[in-house]
């Protein structure tokens, strides 16, 4: 048993309040249990409690045991002088006092908590289910997934905003440069995410714009900064890019922040090799350099996808690395990869921008993209689907991933709407 569960049953009145009494036998009527306080001070504020017919307004403090009052030094803290009642789970005949000397009335909940609520809570906390703690309960509970998904999506996007804000601060408010960092990071995920982030942060947008005269010129810039041209590999195409990069280095007074040793090829599928992803990024940057400015103004999602859909240059159709020839294949950005860029790069940026400028249009555009993008297919979404949860678009798949990763894995059942359905006394 944990204190947060005692707070939970008080918040939702999951106990028998008939004939409720204090330790001294005074009759108690909970008019208003108060608002839960998640910062310092008493656990609930603005409560209204009738004690022996007299209405009291003030705060409520919740504990597992009576002596927690002293352990937490509340008797010496004047912030707790306005506590009107002490709510404790386990029974004790110990009396407690506030800092002003007033003896507090205490009520004990252990024998009052609905047995279904407590049994289900223990089952959730002790669950050994392989996927989610509530798996055995879900067949018998109707869950309103619409409201559940809405709150999960908002929470997921709010968290992603914090990473975007850090990049924007680093870029001194340049949204196009910050967007480029997010885009590069996703091209490198998961194995080369850090290296791609370093690469993006060392690209000056003005240099990118000037070199956008050809894909080859952009490849020289990107492969040069990535450290791939600083090798002794005998390769005519590499030498051609290297000569171009030497010119760029002297022109812009730049140097390679990375070495070839920073890039990971092991346990990476050839289509995801950093060389292929850099070549694809060169093609993407050839089409557009100020990507967020374009996305901000272009409302047609199909046009944005079409513009993003690029192929690596001709050399990379027969190579996965410099001087290692392979069977010819068009190294294009697949539809599934474009979906992931929409979900993980474009949507969070539009959501951030809408929040920043306080314009609902951009927030709605972000959510509309999710609603009209195919759902992600992975172990998490498939497992949710198998136990009856809808996964028909990216809005729903993102919500399900958020639920699994940040609620179920952490057993945050008391903060979950499904958990509430399970614990609520019928």
């Amino acid at each position: 048993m944990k204190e947060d569960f005692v707070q939970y049953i008080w918040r939702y009145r999951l106990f028998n309040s008939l004939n409720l009494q204090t330790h001294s036998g005074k009759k108690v009527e909970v008019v208003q249990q108060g608002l839960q306080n998640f910062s310092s001070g008493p656990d609930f504020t603005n409560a209204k409690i009738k004690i022996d017919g007299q209405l009291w307004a003030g705060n409520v403090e919740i504990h597992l045991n009576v002596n927690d009052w002293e352990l937490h030094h509340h008797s010496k803290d004047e912030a707790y002088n306005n506590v009107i009642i002490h709510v404790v789970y386990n029974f004790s005949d110990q009396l407690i006092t506030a800092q002003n000397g007033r003896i507090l009335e205490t009520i004990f909940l252990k024998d009052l908590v609905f047995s279904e609520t407590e049994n289900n809570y223990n089952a959730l906390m002790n669950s050994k289910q392989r996927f989610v703690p509530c798996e055995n309960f879900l067949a018998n509970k109707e869950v309103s997934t619409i409201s559940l998904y809405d709150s999960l999506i908002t929470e997921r996007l709010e968290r992603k905003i914090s990473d975007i804000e850090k990049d924007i601060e680093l870029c001194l408010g340049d949204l196009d440069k910050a967007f480029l960092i997010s885009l590069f990071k996703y091209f490198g995920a998961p194995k080369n995410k850090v290296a791609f982030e370093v690469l993006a942060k060392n690209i000056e947008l003005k240099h990118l714009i000037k070199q956008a005269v050809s894909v080859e010129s952009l490849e020289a810039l990107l492969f040069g900064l990535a450290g791939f041209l600083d090798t002794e590999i005998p390769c005519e195409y590499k030498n051609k890019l290297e000569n171009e990069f030497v010119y760029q280095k002297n022109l812009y007074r730049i140097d390679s922040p990375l070495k070839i040793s920073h890039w990971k090829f092991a346990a990476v599928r050839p289509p995801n090799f950093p060389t292929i992803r850099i070549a694809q990024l060169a093609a993407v940057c050839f089409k557009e350099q100020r990507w967020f400015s374009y996305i901000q103004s272009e409302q047609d999602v199909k046009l944005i996808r079409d513009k993003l859909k690029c192929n690596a240059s001709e050399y990379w159709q027969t190579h996965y690395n410099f001087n290692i020839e392979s069977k010819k294949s068009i190294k294009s950005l697949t539809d599934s990869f474009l979906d992931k860029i929409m979900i993980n790069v474009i949507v969070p940026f539009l959501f951030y921008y809408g929040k920043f400028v306080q314009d609902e249009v951009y927030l709605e555009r972000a959510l509309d993209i999710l609603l009209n993008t195919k759902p992600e297919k992975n172990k998490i979404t498939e497992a949710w689907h198998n136990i009856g949860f809808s996964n028909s678009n990216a809005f729903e798949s993102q919500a399900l991933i958020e639920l699994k990763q940040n609620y179920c894995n952490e057993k945050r059942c008391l903060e979950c709407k499904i958990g509430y359905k399970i614990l609520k006394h019928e």
Side-chain angles (χ1 to χ4, degrees), residues 72 93 112 115 129 202 226 228-229 272 297 299 309 312 319 387:
H72 300 164
D93 56 7
L112 302 175
S115 58
Q129 291 296 317
N202 281 274
F228 279 99
L229 306 181
N272 297 328
S297 60
Q299 297 184 24
K309 192 162 188 175
H319 293 79
I387 55 178

Side-chain angles (χ1 to χ4, degrees), residues 53-68:
Q54 182 179 347
L55 182 64
W56 293 76
N59 303 326
V60 176
E61 181 65 9
I62 310 287
H63 284 127
L64 196 59
N65 300 298
V66 172
N67 61 358
D68 290 337

